[in-house]
Amino acid sequence: MHIVDLRPDNESAIRQIVMLLVEGFAAHWPQAWPDLESAMEEVQESFEAGHISRVALDEDGTVLGWIGGISQYDGHVWELHPLVVHVSHQGKGIGRALVTDLEEPSKSLVV
């Protein structure tokens, strides 16, 4: 697994993340992203200024998980939003790795 910035031109990863948001939240928070359109809006917002968007990929480029960060308080605090890991890969430390990656100072964006 490797964690990289999600780029707007990575259409394959974006499609996978959109599905992941809808499926990953369906059981416990279905109103979060009830459809593909709302999930796509969330992913597109992650490319805006003051946001961090990181994706965990396997060696084949399959999305294992995704994390976003939103700058708060003039960049002094980052709100983790959202965090999702593919159901079949939960419990394997992917979410923890994404959070640790997001916490690294080198990932913080200048707002």
Side-chain angles (χ1 to χ4, degrees):
M1 173 188 76
H2 59 284
I3 300 173
V4 298
D5 286 328
L6 178 63
R7 301 281 182 201
D9 62 347
N10 191 340
E11 295 176 17
S12 174
I14 291 170
R15 280 192 307 275
Q16 292 176 68
I17 292 167
V18 166
M19 294 296 299
L20 192 59
L21 280 173
V22 174
E23 294 170 359
F25 285 84
H28 300 290
W29 197 22
Q31 68 276 20
W33 295 283
D35 53 45
L36 299 177
E37 182 179 333
S38 61
M40 180 60 84
E41 288 174 14
E42 184 69 36
V43 174
Q44 294 302 320
E45 286 176 18
S46 78
F47 300 127
E48 295 176 3
H51 288 68
I52 296 173
S53 187
R54 303 281 287 165
V55 60
L57 303 168
D58 71 7
E59 61 279 349
D60 297 323
T62 300
V63 172
L64 304 175
W66 179 57
I67 192 169
I70 304 170
S71 176
Q72 302 289 324
Y73 302 102
D74 298 320
H76 296 287
V77 175
W78 287 91
E79 173 187 348
L80 188 158
H81 178 81
L83 171 62
V84 64
V85 174
H86 194 283
V87 174
S88 66
H89 295 286
Q90 291 177 0
K92 298 179 180 177
I94 295 168
R96 184 178 318 120
L98 284 164
V99 170
T100 299
D101 177 83
L102 185 71
E103 291 175 333
E104 291 181 21
S106 64
K107 304 299 184 283
S108 299
L109 302 177
V110 177
V111 188

